[in-house]
C-alpha cells in the first residue's frame, strides 16, 4: 500500500468509527471465529467491505460507513454493532468488548493466516505474539492537510484524558495487572506505537511516512499505530487511544468528545494559534498516569504549572466544548472497576458474560 496525499484532506467534520471486538463462545471465552465470520460466510450488507479480522482469530474489526453529521453517528454505530451480533449468532458465536479480554490467553489462541499478519509476527516476534488488545478508533475529517497535522500535534495532550476515562482492561492473560488500562501498556511494546512526536507540517509527516515505507520499516501506512495520526488515505485525524467498550453510550461519549476537540482545534489553527508543541516525555508521563490510575489520575497541566485532576479536566472540557458524555462516564463506575467488582462478587464466568454485546 502506498502513502496517501494532501488532497485526501477535503472534508471537515465527517466521522468514522472503528471498533475491535472479541469473538467468544457460548461461555464468553475468546475463540477462533474470524474465518467463518469474515471469509466463509457473507456478512449483512452494512458490514460488506467493513468487516475484517486482526492478528488473532478471536479478534474482529468493524468500520461504520462515512458519517456526515455527529447527529447520525449513534444510529450508524448501533446498526453496525447489531449486524455483527446477528452475524456472529448465526454462526454460533457471540461478540464481546473490552480493552483486553480477561480470558484471552495468548499462548493458547490461534493467529490469523493472512500474509500481512504472518509478516508482522516474523518481524516483531514476542510483542506481537502476545498482542491480544482491542480498541476504539475515531476518525474526524479535516479539510486541509497542514491543519490535520497541527490538530494531531495539539490533540496529544487530551489523549491521556480519553485513556483514563476509557480504562477497561485491568486483566491480561488471566491475571490482574494492577493497571486500569493494561491494553495501552501491552500495545506500546510494538514498534511505531504510543504517543507520537510533533510534526512541523504535512510535508514533514508525509516524508516520515514515506521513509518508513521505503525502508520497509512498515509494510503499509496502517502499521503506524500511534495513539493519533493524520490518516493520509482517508483525510482524517484518527484518534486510536480508548480501550474497547461494551456500552455504546460510552463509545458515543468518545466520538462526541473527539469530534468536538477536532473542530475546536481546527478553529484555533485557523485563528493562527501557535500551539503548545509538547515534548513527548511530558505526554508519556500523563499517559502512564492514565494507564495506572484511570479515573483517579491527575495530569501535568498543558502550561506545566502544577497538576490537574481528571474530574477538573472533564468539567472544564464539558463546559468549554458543550459535550456531556465524558462527564457521564466520569461520574459512573469505570470499566476497570466494574470488571474487578464483578469478578470479586460474582466470579469469572459472570465477568466474561458482562463483556458480551447484546442487540440495542
Amino acid at each position: 500500500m502506498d502513502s496517501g496525499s494532501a488532497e485526501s484532506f477535503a472534508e471537515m467534520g465527517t466521522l468514522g468509527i472503528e471498533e475491535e471486538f472479541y469473538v467468544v463462545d457460548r461461555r464468553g471465552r475468546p475463540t477462533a471465529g474470524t474465518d467463518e465470520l469474515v471469509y466463509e460466510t457473507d456478512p449483512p450488507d452494512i458490514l460488506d467491505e467493513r468487516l475484517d479480522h486482526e492478528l488473532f482469530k478471536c479478534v474482529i474489526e468493524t468500520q461504520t460507513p462515512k458519517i456526515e453529521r455527529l447527529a447520525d453517528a449513534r444510529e450508524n454505530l448501533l446498526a453496525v454493532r447489531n449486524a455483527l451480533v446477528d452475524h456472529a449468532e448465526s454462526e454460533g458465536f457471540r461478540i464481546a468488548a473490552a480493552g483486553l479480554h480477561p480470558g484471552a490467553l495468548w499462548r493458547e489462541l490461534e493467529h490469523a493466516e493472512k500474509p500481512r499478519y504472518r509478516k508482522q509476527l516474523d518481524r516483531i516476534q514476542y510483542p506481537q505474539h502476545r498482542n491480544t488488545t482491542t480498541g476504539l478508533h475515531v476518525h474526524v475529517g479535516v479539510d486541509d492537510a497542514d491543519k490535520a497535522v497541527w490538530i494531531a500535534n495539539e490533540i496529544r495532550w487530551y489523549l491521556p484524558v480519553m485513556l483514563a476515562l476509557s480504562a477497561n482492561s485491568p486483566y491480561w492473560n488471566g491475571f490482574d495487572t494492577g493497571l486500569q488500562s493494561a491494553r495501552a501498556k501491552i500495545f506500546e511494546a510494538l514498534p511505531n506505537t504510543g504517543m507520537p512526536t510533533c510534526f512541523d507540517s504535512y510535508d514533514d509527516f508525509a516524508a516520515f511516512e514515506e521513509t518508513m515505507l521505503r525502508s520497509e520499516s512498515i509494510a503499509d501506512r496502517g502499521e503506524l499505530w500511534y495513539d493519533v495520526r493524520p490518516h493520509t488515505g482517508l483525510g482524517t485525524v484518527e484518534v486510536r487511544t480508548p480501550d474497547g467498550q461494551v456500552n455504546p453510550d460510552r463509545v458515543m461519549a468518545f466520538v462526541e468528545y473527539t469530534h468536538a476537540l477536532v473542530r475546536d482545534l481546527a478553529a484555533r489553527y485557523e485563528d493562527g494559534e501557535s500551539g503548545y508543541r509538547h515534548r513527548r516525555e511530558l505526554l508519556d508521563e500523563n499517559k502512564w498516569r492514565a494507564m495506572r490510575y484511570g479515573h483517579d489520575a491527575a495530569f501535568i497541566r498543558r502550561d506545566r504549572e502544577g497538576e490537574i485532576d481528571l474530574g477538573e479536566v472533564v468539567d472544564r472540557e464539558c463546559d468549554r466544548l458543550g459535550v456531556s458524555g465524558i462527564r457521564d462516564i466520569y461520574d459512573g463506575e469505570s470499566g476497570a472497576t466494574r470488571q474487578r467488582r464483578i469478578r470479586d462478587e460474582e466470579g469469572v464466568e459472570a465477568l466474561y458474560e458482562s463483556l458480551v454485546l447484546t442487540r440495542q
Side-chain angles (χ1 to χ4, degrees):
M1 183 185 296
D2 58 5
S3 56
S5 70
E7 286 68 36
S8 299
F9 295 89
E11 297 181 288
M12 189 69 220
T14 58
L15 281 161
I17 307 166
E18 298 176 355
E19 292 190 275
E20 296 164 339
F21 298 105
Y22 295 96
V23 180
V24 297
D25 61 21
R26 291 299 171 189
R27 298 176 61 195
R29 298 174 183 270
T31 188
T34 53
D35 284 351
E36 293 90 331
L37 297 178
V38 177
Y39 296 117
E40 298 173 6
T41 56
D42 293 327
D45 289 345
I46 194 172
L47 297 179
D48 187 32
E49 301 296 324
R50 299 190 183 97
L51 186 67
D52 205 349
H53 63 82
E54 292 292 331
L55 171 67
F56 286 93
K57 289 188 177 183
C58 65
V59 177
I60 198 163
E61 181 186 82
T62 62
Q63 304 102 32
T64 63
K66 184 172 74 173
I67 303 165
E68 299 292 343
R69 303 182 307 144
L70 178 62
D72 298 327
R74 182 181 178 82
E75 178 184 352
N76 280 268
L77 177 74
L78 291 180
V80 167
R81 281 179 156 227
N82 288 338
L84 178 61
V85 168
D86 291 346
H87 183 44
E89 181 72 25
S90 70
E91 298 301 316
F93 300 107
R94 305 167 83 193
I95 300 297
L100 288 164
H101 195 289
L105 307 180
W106 64 268
R107 291 179 180 86
E108 301 175 7
L109 295 168
E110 292 184 56
H111 290 127
E113 287 144 19
K114 193 173 183 179
R116 180 175 191 258
Y117 295 116
R118 291 295 173 178
K119 288 179 182 178
Q120 287 178 9
L121 285 169
D122 183 61
R123 175 167 60 92
I124 300 171
Q125 292 293 317
Y126 171 70
Q128 186 71 317
H129 277 274
R130 67 175 191 163
N131 179 29
T132 57
T133 62
T134 63
L136 164 67
H137 308 156
V138 181
H139 291 260
V140 182
V142 178
D143 57 0
D144 176 82
D146 284 328
K147 185 192 300 184
V149 171
W150 191 89
I151 290 169
N153 288 338
E154 293 304 305
I155 208 170
R156 292 178 304 154
W157 188 89
Y158 301 94
L159 301 183
V161 174
M162 293 191 204
L163 180 60
L165 289 167
S166 75
N168 188 31
S169 52
Y171 300 107
W172 176 70
N173 210 41
F175 71 94
D176 192 329
T177 64
L179 305 179
Q180 310 306 305
S181 176
R183 176 201 62 85
K185 181 51 67 177
I186 296 298
F187 194 69
E188 276 189 349
L190 274 62
N192 311 309
T193 58
M195 196 68 69
T197 57
C198 192
F199 290 92
D200 291 334
S201 64
Y202 175 79
D203 287 344
D204 188 26
F205 180 81
F208 163 73
E209 186 177 77
E210 181 60 33
T211 297
M212 296 295 282
L213 288 165
R214 187 176 61 253
S215 65
E216 298 184 352
S217 301
I218 57 175
D220 56 62
R221 61 173 173 262
E223 290 185 355
L224 295 178
W225 294 310
Y226 299 111
D227 292 345
V228 62
R229 64 187 182 191
H231 197 297
T232 60
L234 296 177
T236 63
V237 169
E238 180 187 5
V239 169
R240 301 167 47 83
T241 300
D243 279 4
Q245 305 292 314
V246 179
N247 188 333
D249 291 340
R250 287 178 173 253
V251 174
M252 282 307 306
F254 294 113
V255 172
E256 175 192 48
Y257 182 43
T258 304
H259 187 258
L261 269 176
V262 170
R263 293 197 72 98
D264 174 70
L265 288 167
R268 287 154 62 179
Y269 172 84
E270 290 162 7
D271 287 343
E273 283 196 24
S274 59
Y276 282 84
R277 299 178 61 86
H278 289 297
R279 291 185 61 93
R280 178 173 177 170
E281 293 88 345
L282 179 149
L283 301 171
D284 283 342
E285 171 61 22
N286 279 351
K287 184 180 178 183
W288 162 248
R289 295 177 181 205
M291 289 185 226
R292 175 64 182 87
Y293 299 110
H295 281 201
D296 294 325
F299 304 110
I300 299 169
R301 291 179 180 270
R302 297 194 77 192
D303 60 8
R304 296 185 290 183
E305 296 294 327
E307 299 180 346
I308 183 168
D309 291 339
L310 177 62
E312 187 178 345
V313 178
V314 169
D315 286 343
R316 183 195 69 192
E317 292 297 276
C318 288
D319 291 344
R320 184 175 74 89
L321 299 174
V323 300
S324 61
I326 58 171
R327 179 177 282 128
D328 293 338
I329 290 178
Y330 179 74
D331 288 343
E333 185 178 41
S334 76
T337 299
R338 178 175 180 265
Q339 285 197 40
R340 290 186 170 111
R341 175 181 58 78
I342 292 172
R343 181 172 181 173
D344 290 346
E345 294 177 358
E346 304 177 48
V348 70
E349 297 294 335
L351 171 58
Y352 294 166
E353 189 64 29
S354 74
L355 303 178
V356 174
L357 267 63
T358 58
R359 251 186 155 275
Q360 300 284 314

